[in-house]
Amino acid sequence: MRHATALRIGPVGFRLGSDWPGPVAAIDDLYAGYPQPLDGIPDFTVRLFAARPWRRWLRPSVHIGGDYVLPDAAPLPLALGLIAAEMGMNLQMALGQRRYLLLHASAVERDGRALLMTGISGAGKSTLAALLMARGWRLMGDEFALVDPETGLVHAFPRLISLKNEAIPVMEAALPGARFGPRLEGTPKGTIRHLVPDAGSLAAMDAPAVPALILFPRYGFATETREVLPSETFLWLTQASTNYVALAERGFDALTRLVTQVPARALDYPDTDSAIAEVERLWASL
Amino acid sequence: MNRYRAAAPATLRIVPLDALTLIYHRASGITHIVDSPVPEILEALAGEALAVPVLLARLAERFELADGEAEALAARLDELAAAGLVERL
């Protein structure tokens, strides 16, 4: 393709090709501190392309292609090319990842042990992970946690943190010195602004961690924590995994090990300060 | 009368968790999350094929599942047979 770049996020290498320079420049800028794919060989390719040649210039709209595609995915305007690139990379992971059990969860690490947070969209897993990063935890990822079926360890996938709507001013206030991407209005999920993970998180992206706690946060309720049984955790995590079925018995083994060895809690919270205090309290009591 | 036996042990991975039990069925790749009395039924049918009345007596005696009815148990066995977890002989 006309414009291309490559990068590695945790153990996964990507190649990004685009009909336009903008999305590649945006990715190169925000992912400047990231390494190249191992041995120069990417695991996945993402292509951002115009449906017709003239649509490169005339009302340019970005179609997302690559090794794995959703046939009915709507194109995005060129101004949202960065989002298209991010969606393309997420799509390759969601549909194509076979080495790790992929959990739709954020993950942070302290002292070699990982806290996983998963829940429905809007539960606050990205925001809580970013706030914990601001308090010195290592950010392992705000979207996907990768569980190695061979070892049970969690591997980091610290892509850009995707902040949505109300989370944007919260993080701008919490991390005034951090690197943020452009403010992107009118995306399918409202306003989005990306936050670059801190230098410590990027430097340690190759270090896996032992999973130590699974949280199911839920925003908008009075603070309450309750134990989640292994069977319920198992059920929720199969729903939070895009490749559990594809991994077959390796997925079953990985998830069974995770839910029998790692405690899980549901955490309701009315505001982020309460949530962070409760997370620190739970972590200290492990 | 139909007799039933559990699917071959090599085709099932049974992992008791808490109140519920996970069963991974290798032949279909499907994970089942089951409640009592399914694990007890599979255990009772692991060694030998049994008809419904005999199985009912065995469950009552070994697992104290005394409140079962033959009709309900037969329906449950047919569901398990459809899922491949037991075989109807």
Side-chain angles (χ1 to χ4, degrees):
Chain A
M1 299 193 78
R2 284 183 176 74
H3 308 277
T5 190
L7 69 151
R8 179 162 65 83
I9 306 174
V12 186
F14 293 94
R15 181 180 182 278
L16 172 71
S18 169
D19 277 347
W20 304 270
V24 167
I27 289 287
D28 277 343
D29 178 35
L30 290 170
Y31 281 98
Y34 285 67
Q36 286 293 300
L38 290 169
D39 301 324
I41 303 167
D43 297 271
F44 298 114
T45 296
V46 175
R47 294 190 311 121
L48 305 180
F49 63 97
R52 300 279 180 274
W54 59 87
R55 291 298 293 272
R56 285 175 51 211
W57 301 282
L58 185 69
R59 284 181 289 115
S61 74
V62 182
H63 287 259
I64 302 168
D67 299 321
Y68 297 87
V69 296
L70 286 179
D72 50 357
L76 290 170
L78 183 54
L80 300 181
L82 173 59
I83 305 265
E86 288 281 308
M87 284 171 70
M89 289 193 284
N90 285 347
L91 196 61
Q92 305 313 306
M93 290 294 284
L95 299 180
Q97 178 56 243
R98 293 290 182 272
R99 180 171 163 197
Y100 301 98
L101 178 69
L102 188 147
L103 299 177
H104 190 216
S106 65
V108 291
E109 175 263 345
R110 191 192 260 174
D111 301 327
R113 302 194 306 159
L115 161 65
L116 307 181
M117 291 177 281
T118 184
I120 56 166
S121 184
K125 61 186 165 53
S126 281
T127 313
L128 295 181
L131 284 168
L132 289 166
M133 179 183 83
R135 294 170 62 91
W137 294 62
R138 185 214 344 165
L139 181 104
M140 297 185 76
D142 82 318
E143 180 81 5
F144 295 132
L146 310 176
V147 180
D148 187 337
E150 313 304 323
T151 63
L153 297 175
V154 176
H155 287 254
F157 187 73
R159 55 161 219 166
L160 302 179
I161 302 164
S162 174
L163 301 171
K164 296 168 201 89
N165 305 316
E166 312 88 79
I168 298 171
V170 171
M171 290 318 302
E172 287 169 343
L175 286 169
R179 280 203 71 203
F180 288 90
R183 214 180 145 82
L184 301 164
E185 316 271 358
T187 81
K189 290 185 171 175
T191 302
I192 287 184
R193 192 170 190 199
H194 292 97
L195 165 62
V196 181
D198 61 22
S201 300
L202 295 187
M205 71 161 70
D206 293 332
V210 180
L213 178 63
I214 299 165
L215 278 184
F216 297 91
R218 202 164 62 133
Y219 170 70
F221 298 86
T223 302
E224 191 187 334
T225 305
R226 76 172 170 88
E227 187 183 351
V228 183
L229 291 174
S231 57
E232 190 182 351
T233 307
F234 185 93
L235 184 64
W236 287 121
L237 292 182
T238 55
Q239 291 171 3
S241 173
T242 55
N243 68 354
Y244 171 75
V245 172
L247 289 191
E249 198 165 350
R250 289 172 66 228
F252 178 81
D253 285 336
L255 201 51
T256 304
R257 167 149 58 165
L258 187 69
V259 304
T260 50
Q261 295 186 350
V262 182
R265 301 283 183 276
L267 167 61
D268 289 357
Y269 67 98
D271 53 69
T272 51
D273 284 348
S274 310
I276 296 298
E278 191 63 8
V279 168
E280 295 279 9
R281 190 189 68 75
L282 283 169
W283 190 258
S285 71
L286 287 179
Chain B
M1 183 179 282
N2 284 329
R3 290 187 310 143
Y4 298 84
R5 74 173 170 213
T11 67
L12 300 179
R13 292 276 313 282
I14 301 178
V15 180
L17 284 184
D18 32 64
L20 302 179
T21 296
L22 301 178
I23 302 174
Y24 182 77
H25 184 224
R26 285 180 167 140
S28 64
I30 293 175
T31 304
H32 302 268
I33 304 179
V34 299
D35 199 352
S36 180
V38 172
E40 291 84 353
I41 290 173
L42 290 175
E43 195 178 326
L45 295 177
E48 54 188 325
L50 300 174
V52 169
V54 183
L55 174 60
L56 197 60
R58 199 68 64 85
L59 289 172
E61 163 199 329
R62 237 201 268 174
F63 303 102
E64 298 177 351
L65 297 169
D67 54 350
E69 291 173 16
E71 216 167 285
L73 181 58
R76 181 60 62 87
L77 285 167
D78 287 337
E79 287 168 18
L80 293 174
L85 301 180
V86 306
E87 295 167 18
R88 197 185 298 116
L89 301 178

